[in-house]
Coordinates of all heavy atoms in Angstrom, one line a residue:
V211 N 46.9 87.8 135.4 CA 48.2 87.7 136.1 C 48.3 88.5 137.3 O 47.8 89.7 137.3 CB 49.3 88.1 135.1 CG1 50.7 88.1 135.8 CG2 49.3 87.1 133.9
E212 N 48.8 88.0 138.4 CA 48.9 88.7 139.6 C 50.4 88.8 139.9 O 51.1 87.8 139.8 CB 48.3 88.0 140.8 CG 48.4 88.7 142.1 CD 47.8 88.0 143.3 OE1 47.0 87.0 143.0 OE2 48.0 88.4 144.4
L213 N 50.8 90.0 140.2 CA 52.2 90.3 140.6 C 52.3 90.8 142.0 O 51.6 91.8 142.4 CB 52.8 91.4 139.6 CG 54.3 91.8 139.9 CD1 55.3 90.7 139.6 CD2 54.6 93.1 139.1
S214 N 53.1 90.2 142.8 CA 53.3 90.7 144.2 C 54.8 90.9 144.4 O 55.6 90.2 143.9 CB 52.7 89.7 145.2 OG 53.4 88.5 145.2
V215 N 55.1 91.9 145.3 CA 56.5 92.2 145.6 C 56.6 92.3 147.1 O 55.8 93.0 147.7 CB 56.9 93.5 144.9 CG1 58.4 93.9 145.3 CG2 56.8 93.4 143.4
E216 N 57.6 91.7 147.7 CA 57.9 91.7 149.1 C 59.3 92.2 149.3 O 60.2 91.6 148.7 CB 57.6 90.3 149.7 CG 57.8 90.3 151.2 CD 57.6 88.8 151.7 OE1 56.8 88.1 151.2 OE2 58.4 88.5 152.7
V217 N 59.5 93.2 150.1 CA 60.8 93.7 150.4 C 61.1 93.5 151.9 O 60.3 93.7 152.8 CB 60.9 95.2 150.1 CG1 62.2 95.8 150.5 CG2 60.5 95.5 148.7
N218 N 62.4 93.0 152.1 CA 62.8 92.7 153.5 C 64.2 93.2 153.7 O 65.1 92.8 152.9 CB 62.8 91.2 153.7 CG 63.0 90.8 155.2 OD1 63.0 91.7 156.0 ND2 63.3 89.6 155.4
P219 N 64.5 94.1 154.6 CA 63.6 94.6 155.6 C 62.6 95.7 155.0 O 62.9 96.2 154.0 CB 64.5 95.3 156.6 CG 65.7 95.7 155.9 CD 65.8 94.7 154.8
D220 N 61.5 95.9 155.6 CA 60.5 96.8 155.2 C 60.2 97.7 156.4 O 59.6 97.3 157.3 CB 59.3 96.1 154.7 CG 58.2 97.1 154.1 OD1 58.5 98.3 153.9 OD2 57.1 96.7 153.9
P221 N 60.6 99.0 156.3 CA 61.2 99.6 155.2 C 62.6 99.3 155.0 O 63.3 98.9 155.9 CB 61.0 101.1 155.5 CG 61.0 101.2 157.0 CD 60.4 99.9 157.5
A222 N 63.1 99.5 153.8 CA 64.5 99.3 153.4 C 65.4 100.3 154.2 O 64.9 101.4 154.5 CB 64.8 99.5 152.0
V223 N 66.6 99.9 154.6 CA 67.5 100.7 155.4 C 68.6 101.2 154.5 O 69.2 100.4 153.8 CB 68.0 99.9 156.6 CG1 69.0 100.8 157.4 CG2 66.9 99.4 157.4
P224 N 68.8 102.6 154.5 CA 69.9 103.1 153.6 C 71.2 102.4 153.9 O 71.6 102.1 155.1 CB 69.9 104.6 154.0 CG 68.6 104.9 154.4 CD 68.1 103.6 155.2
E225 N 72.0 102.1 152.9 CA 73.3 101.5 153.0 C 73.3 100.0 153.4 O 74.3 99.4 153.7 CB 74.3 102.3 153.9 CG 74.4 103.8 153.5 CD 75.0 104.0 152.2 OE1 76.0 103.2 151.8 OE2 74.6 104.9 151.5
E226 N 72.1 99.4 153.6 CA 72.0 98.0 154.0 C 71.5 97.2 152.8 O 70.7 97.7 152.0 CB 71.1 97.9 155.2 CG 71.5 98.5 156.5 CD 72.7 97.8 157.1 OE1 72.7 96.6 157.0 OE2 73.5 98.5 157.7
A227 N 71.8 95.9 152.8 CA 71.3 95.0 151.8 C 69.9 94.8 152.0 O 69.4 94.8 153.2 CB 72.1 93.7 151.8
M228 N 69.1 94.5 151.0 CA 67.7 94.1 151.1 C 67.4 93.0 150.2 O 68.1 92.7 149.2 CB 66.8 95.3 150.8 CG 66.9 95.8 149.4 SD 65.8 97.2 149.2 CE 65.7 97.3 147.4
Q229 N 66.4 92.2 150.5 CA 66.0 91.1 149.7 C 64.6 91.4 149.2 O 63.7 91.9 149.9 CB 65.9 89.8 150.6 CG 65.5 88.6 149.8 CD 65.5 87.4 150.7 OE1 65.5 87.4 151.9 NE2 65.4 86.2 150.1
V230 N 64.4 91.2 147.8 CA 63.2 91.4 147.2 C 62.7 90.1 146.6 O 63.4 89.5 145.8 CB 63.3 92.5 146.1 CG1 62.0 92.8 145.4 CG2 63.9 93.8 146.7
L231 N 61.4 89.8 146.9 CA 60.8 88.6 146.4 C 59.7 89.0 145.5 O 58.8 89.7 145.9 CB 60.2 87.7 147.5 CG 59.4 86.5 147.1 CD1 60.3 85.5 146.4 CD2 58.8 85.9 148.3
V232 N 59.8 88.7 144.2 CA 58.8 89.0 143.2 C 58.1 87.7 142.8 O 58.7 86.7 142.4 CB 59.5 89.6 141.9 CG1 58.4 89.9 140.9 CG2 60.2 90.9 142.3
T233 N 56.8 87.7 142.9 CA 56.0 86.5 142.6 C 55.0 86.8 141.5 O 54.2 87.8 141.7 CB 55.2 86.0 143.9 OG1 56.2 85.8 144.9 CG2 54.5 84.7 143.6
L234 N 55.0 86.0 140.5 CA 54.0 86.2 139.4 C 53.1 85.0 139.3 O 53.6 83.9 139.3 CB 54.8 86.4 138.1 CG 54.1 86.8 136.8 CD1 53.4 88.2 137.0 CD2 55.0 86.7 135.6
T235 N 51.8 85.2 139.4 CA 50.9 84.1 139.4 C 49.9 84.2 138.3 O 49.3 85.3 138.1 CB 50.1 84.1 140.8 OG1 51.1 84.1 141.8 CG2 49.2 82.9 140.9
N236 N 49.6 83.1 137.6 CA 48.6 83.0 136.6 C 47.3 82.8 137.3 O 47.0 81.7 137.8 CB 48.9 82.0 135.6 CG 47.9 81.9 134.4 OD1 46.9 82.6 134.4 ND2 48.2 81.1 133.4
Q237 N 46.4 83.7 137.3 CA 45.1 83.6 137.9 C 44.0 83.0 137.0 O 42.9 82.7 137.4 CB 44.6 85.0 138.5 CG 45.5 85.6 139.5 CD 45.4 84.9 140.8 OE1 44.4 84.3 141.2 NE2 46.5 84.8 141.6
G238 N 44.4 82.9 135.7 CA 43.4 82.4 134.7 C 43.5 80.9 134.5 O 44.3 80.2 135.1
S239 N 42.7 80.5 133.6 CA 42.6 79.1 133.2 C 43.4 78.7 131.9 O 43.4 77.6 131.4 CB 41.2 78.6 133.1 OG 40.5 79.4 132.1
V240 N 44.0 79.8 131.3 CA 44.8 79.6 130.1 C 46.2 79.8 130.3 O 46.7 80.7 131.1 CB 44.3 80.7 129.0 CG1 45.1 80.6 127.8 CG2 42.8 80.5 128.8
D241 N 47.1 78.9 129.8 CA 48.5 79.0 129.9 C 49.0 80.3 129.3 O 48.5 80.7 128.2 CB 49.2 77.8 129.3 CG 49.0 76.5 130.1 OD1 48.6 76.6 131.2 OD2 49.2 75.4 129.5
L242 N 50.0 80.9 129.9 CA 50.6 82.1 129.4 C 52.0 81.8 129.0 O 52.7 81.1 129.7 CB 50.5 83.2 130.4 CG 49.1 83.6 130.9 CD1 49.2 84.6 132.1 CD2 48.3 84.1 129.8
F243 N 52.5 82.4 127.9 CA 53.8 82.1 127.3 C 54.7 83.4 127.2 O 54.1 84.5 127.0 CB 53.7 81.4 126.0 CG 52.9 80.1 126.1 CD1 51.6 80.1 125.8 CD2 53.5 79.0 126.5 CE1 50.8 78.9 125.9 CE2 52.8 77.8 126.6 CZ 51.5 77.8 126.3
D244 N 56.0 83.2 127.2 CA 56.9 84.3 126.9 C 56.8 85.5 127.9 O 56.8 86.7 127.5 CB 56.8 84.8 125.5 CG 57.1 83.7 124.5 OD1 58.0 82.9 124.8 OD2 56.4 83.6 123.4
L245 N 56.5 85.2 129.1 CA 56.3 86.3 130.1 C 57.7 86.8 130.6 O 58.7 86.1 130.7 CB 55.6 85.7 131.3 CG 54.2 85.2 131.1 CD1 53.6 84.5 132.3 CD2 53.3 86.4 130.7
E246 N 57.7 88.2 130.9 CA 58.8 88.8 131.4 C 58.3 89.8 132.5 O 57.2 90.3 132.4 CB 59.6 89.7 130.4 CG 60.2 88.9 129.3 CD 61.0 89.8 128.3 OE1 60.6 91.0 128.2 OE2 61.9 89.3 127.6
V247 N 59.2 90.0 133.5 CA 58.9 91.0 134.5 C 60.1 92.0 134.4 O 61.3 91.6 134.4 CB 59.0 90.4 136.0 CG1 58.9 91.5 137.0 CG2 57.8 89.4 136.1
V248 N 59.7 93.3 134.2 CA 60.7 94.3 133.9 C 60.6 95.3 135.1 O 59.6 95.8 135.4 CB 60.5 95.0 132.6 CG1 61.5 96.2 132.4 CG2 60.5 94.1 131.4
V249 N 61.8 95.5 135.7 CA 61.9 96.5 136.9 C 62.8 97.5 136.6 O 64.0 97.3 136.2 CB 62.3 95.7 138.2 CG1 62.5 96.7 139.3 CG2 61.3 94.6 138.5
Q250 N 62.4 98.8 136.7 CA 63.3 99.9 136.6 C 63.9 100.2 138.0 O 63.2 100.5 138.9 CB 62.5 101.2 136.1 CG 63.4 102.4 135.9 CD 64.0 102.5 134.5 OE1 63.4 101.9 133.6 NE2 65.1 103.1 134.4
L251 N 65.2 100.0 138.1 CA 65.9 100.2 139.4 C 65.9 101.7 139.7 O 66.4 102.5 138.9 CB 67.3 99.7 139.4 CG 67.4 98.2 139.2 CD1 68.9 97.7 139.2 CD2 66.7 97.4 140.3
P252 N 65.4 102.1 140.9 CA 65.3 103.5 141.2 C 66.7 104.1 141.6 O 67.6 103.4 141.9 CB 64.4 103.5 142.4 CG 64.5 102.2 143.0 CD 64.8 101.2 141.9
S253 N 66.7 105.5 141.5 CA 67.9 106.1 142.0 C 68.2 105.8 143.5 O 67.2 105.5 144.2 CB 67.7 107.7 141.9 OG 67.6 108.1 140.6
G254 N 69.4 105.7 143.8 CA 69.8 105.3 145.2 C 70.0 103.8 145.4 O 70.4 103.4 146.5
I255 N 69.7 103.0 144.5 CA 69.9 101.6 144.6 C 71.3 101.3 144.1 O 71.7 101.7 143.0 CB 68.9 100.8 143.7 CG1 67.5 100.9 144.2 CG2 69.3 99.3 143.6 CD1 67.2 100.3 145.6
A256 N 72.1 100.6 144.9 CA 73.5 100.2 144.5 C 73.4 99.1 143.5 O 72.3 98.6 143.2 CB 74.2 99.7 145.7
D257 N 74.4 98.8 142.8 CA 74.5 97.8 141.7 C 73.8 96.5 142.2 O 73.9 96.1 143.3 CB 75.9 97.6 141.3 CG 76.5 98.8 140.6 OD1 75.7 99.7 140.2 OD2 77.7 98.8 140.4
F258 N 73.1 95.9 141.2 CA 72.5 94.6 141.5 C 73.1 93.6 140.5 O 73.1 93.7 139.3 CB 71.0 94.7 141.2 CG 70.3 93.4 141.3 CD1 69.8 92.9 142.5 CD2 70.1 92.6 140.2 CE1 69.1 91.7 142.7 CE2 69.5 91.3 140.3 CZ 69.0 90.9 141.6
A259 N 73.7 92.5 141.1 CA 74.3 91.5 140.3 C 73.3 90.5 139.9 O 72.6 89.9 140.8 CB 75.4 90.8 141.1
V260 N 73.1 90.3 138.6 CA 72.0 89.3 138.1 C 72.3 87.9 138.6 O 71.4 87.1 138.7 CB 71.8 89.4 136.6 CG1 71.3 90.8 136.2 CG2 73.1 89.0 135.9
A261 N 73.5 87.6 138.9 CA 73.8 86.2 139.4 C 73.1 85.9 140.7 O 72.9 84.8 141.1 CB 75.3 86.0 139.5
R262 N 72.7 87.0 141.4 CA 72.0 86.8 142.7 C 70.5 86.5 142.5 O 69.8 86.1 143.5 CB 72.1 88.1 143.6 CG 73.6 88.5 143.8 CD 74.2 88.0 145.0 NE 73.4 88.2 146.2 CZ 73.5 87.6 147.3 NH1 74.4 86.6 147.4 NH2 72.7 87.8 148.3
A263 N 70.0 86.7 141.3 CA 68.6 86.4 141.0 C 68.4 84.9 140.9 O 69.3 84.2 140.5 CB 68.2 87.1 139.7
S264 N 67.3 84.5 141.4 CA 66.9 83.0 141.3 C 65.5 82.9 140.8 O 64.7 83.8 140.9 CB 67.2 82.3 142.6 OG 66.3 82.9 143.6
G265 N 65.2 81.7 140.3 CA 63.9 81.4 139.9 C 63.6 81.6 138.4 O 62.7 81.0 137.8
A266 N 64.3 82.6 137.8 CA 64.2 82.8 136.4 C 65.5 83.5 135.9 O 66.1 84.2 136.8 CB 63.0 83.7 136.1
S267 N 65.8 83.4 134.7 CA 67.0 84.1 134.2 C 66.8 85.6 134.2 O 65.7 86.1 133.9 CB 67.4 83.6 132.8 OG 66.3 83.9 131.9
A268 N 67.8 86.3 134.5 CA 67.7 87.8 134.6 C 68.9 88.4 133.8 O 70.0 87.9 133.7 CB 67.8 88.2 136.0
T269 N 68.6 89.6 133.2 CA 69.6 90.4 132.5 C 69.3 91.8 132.8 O 68.2 92.2 133.2 CB 69.5 90.1 130.9 OG1 68.2 90.4 130.5 CG2 69.9 88.7 130.6
C270 N 70.3 92.6 132.4 CA 70.2 94.1 132.6 C 70.1 94.7 131.2 O 70.7 94.2 130.2 CB 71.4 94.7 133.2 SG 71.7 94.1 134.9
V271 N 69.3 95.8 131.1 CA 69.1 96.5 129.8 C 69.5 98.0 130.1 O 69.1 98.6 131.1 CB 67.6 96.4 129.4 CG1 67.4 97.3 128.1 CG2 67.2 95.0 129.2
G272 N 70.3 98.5 129.2 CA 70.7 99.9 129.4 C 72.2 100.0 129.8 O 72.6 101.1 130.1
N273 N 72.9 98.9 129.8 CA 74.3 98.9 130.3 C 75.1 97.9 129.4 O 74.6 96.9 129.1 CB 74.2 98.4 131.7 CG 75.5 98.3 132.4 OD1 76.5 98.0 131.8 ND2 75.5 98.5 133.7
S274 N 76.3 98.2 129.2 CA 77.2 97.3 128.4 C 77.6 96.1 129.3 O 77.9 95.1 128.7 CB 78.4 98.0 127.9 OG 79.2 98.5 129.0
A275 N 77.5 96.2 130.6 CA 77.8 95.1 131.5 C 76.5 94.4 131.9 O 75.9 94.8 132.9 CB 78.6 95.6 132.7
V276 N 76.1 93.4 131.1 CA 74.8 92.8 131.3 C 74.7 92.0 132.6 O 73.7 91.5 133.0 CB 74.4 91.9 130.1 CG1 74.2 92.8 128.9 CG2 75.4 90.8 129.9
S277 N 75.8 91.8 133.3 CA 75.8 91.0 134.5 C 75.5 91.8 135.8 O 75.3 91.3 136.8 CB 77.1 90.3 134.7 OG 78.2 91.2 134.9
T278 N 75.5 93.2 135.7 CA 75.3 94.0 136.8 C 74.4 95.2 136.4 O 74.6 95.9 135.4 CB 76.6 94.6 137.4 OG1 77.4 93.5 137.7 CG2 76.3 95.5 138.6
C279 N 73.3 95.4 137.1 CA 72.4 96.5 136.8 C 72.7 97.6 137.8 O 73.0 97.4 139.0 CB 70.9 96.1 137.1 SG 70.3 94.9 135.9
S280 N 72.7 98.8 137.3 CA 72.9 100.0 138.1 C 71.6 100.8 138.2 O 70.6 100.5 137.5 CB 74.0 100.9 137.5 OG 75.2 100.2 137.4
Q281 N 71.6 101.8 139.0 CA 70.4 102.6 139.2 C 69.9 103.2 137.9 O 70.7 103.5 137.0 CB 70.6 103.7 140.2 CG 71.7 104.7 139.9 CD 72.0 105.6 141.1 OE1 71.3 105.6 142.1 NE2 73.0 106.4 141.0
N282 N 68.6 103.3 137.7 CA 67.9 103.8 136.5 C 68.0 102.9 135.3 O 67.7 103.3 134.2 CB 68.4 105.2 136.2 CG 68.2 106.2 137.3 OD1 67.1 106.2 137.9 ND2 69.2 107.0 137.6
E283 N 68.5 101.7 135.5 CA 68.5 100.7 134.4 C 67.4 99.7 134.7 O 66.8 99.6 135.7 CB 69.9 100.0 134.3 CG 71.0 100.9 134.0 CD 72.3 100.1 133.8 OE1 72.5 99.2 134.5 OE2 73.1 100.5 133.0
Q284 N 67.1 98.9 133.6 CA 66.1 97.9 133.7 C 66.7 96.5 134.0 O 67.6 96.1 133.4 CB 65.3 97.8 132.5 CG 64.4 99.0 132.2 CD 63.6 98.9 130.9 OE1 63.9 98.1 130.1 NE2 62.5 99.6 130.9
L285 N 66.0 95.8 134.9 CA 66.3 94.4 135.3 C 65.2 93.6 134.7 O 64.0 93.9 135.0 CB 66.4 94.3 136.8 CG 66.6 92.9 137.3 CD1 67.9 92.3 136.8 CD2 66.6 92.9 138.8
V286 N 65.5 92.7 133.8 CA 64.5 91.9 133.1 C 64.6 90.4 133.5 O 65.6 89.8 133.4 CB 64.6 92.0 131.6 CG1 63.5 91.2 130.9 CG2 64.6 93.5 131.2
W287 N 63.5 89.9 134.1 CA 63.4 88.4 134.4 C 62.6 87.8 133.3 O 61.5 88.2 133.0 CB 62.7 88.2 135.7 CG 63.6 88.3 136.9 CD1 64.4 87.4 137.4 CD2 63.6 89.4 137.8 NE1 65.0 87.9 138.5 CE2 64.5 89.1 138.8 CE3 62.9 90.6 137.9 CZ2 64.8 90.0 139.9 CZ3 63.2 91.5 138.9 CH2 64.1 91.1 139.9
R288 N 63.1 86.8 132.7 CA 62.4 86.0 131.6 C 61.7 84.8 132.3 O 62.4 83.8 132.6 CB 63.3 85.6 130.6 CG 63.7 86.8 129.7 CD 64.7 86.5 128.6 NE 64.9 87.8 127.8 CZ 65.7 88.8 128.2 NH1 66.2 88.7 129.4 NH2 65.8 89.8 127.5
I289 N 60.5 84.9 132.6 CA 59.7 83.9 133.3 C 59.4 82.7 132.4 O 59.4 81.6 132.9 CB 58.4 84.5 133.9 CG1 58.6 85.8 134.6 CG2 57.6 83.5 134.7 CD1 59.6 85.6 135.8
G290 N 59.1 82.9 131.2 CA 58.7 81.8 130.3 C 57.2 81.6 130.4 O 56.4 82.5 130.1
S291 N 56.8 80.4 130.8 CA 55.4 80.1 130.8 C 54.8 79.9 132.2 O 55.5 79.5 133.1 CB 55.2 78.7 130.1 OG 55.7 78.8 128.8
L292 N 53.5 80.2 132.4 CA 52.8 80.0 133.6 C 51.5 79.3 133.3 O 50.8 79.7 132.3 CB 52.5 81.3 134.3 CG 53.6 82.1 135.0 CD1 53.1 83.4 135.7 CD2 54.2 81.2 136.1

């Protein structure tokens, strides 16, 4: 499995919105199932609304409000199969 991350703008600008593209690629010849990408949001990141995520369902872990991730919480994308 290959994971790539692209941040725009790069470098990120304090107090400005940024776009993050996460790409997961199956480099092998065997199908993979039940894949997840888990990202720990660093300190200094403002809240992330999971409704803004696209391509796979996303949830927050570590917060009672599962629709918004805050700094130091985990954002989990459920990729499924590749």
Side-chain angles (χ1 to χ4, degrees):
V211 173
E212 179 181 351
L213 175 71
S214 64
V215 179
E216 181 181 326
V217 177
N218 189 14
D220 183 12
V223 179
E225 304 296 324
E226 294 288 327
M228 65 182 192
Q229 181 178 14
V230 179
L231 175 64
V232 177
T233 304
L234 189 63
T235 306
N236 182 354
Q237 297 289 330
S239 59
V240 177
D241 291 342
L242 302 173
F243 302 96
D244 301 322
L245 296 171
E246 293 182 337
V247 173
V248 180
V249 176
Q250 181 86 26
L251 295 178
S253 297
I255 296 290
D257 292 344
F258 176 87
V260 296
R262 304 271 304 164
S264 62
S267 63
T269 58
C270 297
V271 177
N273 177 329
S274 60
V276 295
S277 63
T278 303
C279 294
S280 299
Q281 58 188 357
N282 300 317
E283 293 183 327
Q284 290 183 337
L285 175 60
V286 180
W287 278 282
R288 287 178 178 75
I289 307 303
S291 302
L292 285 179

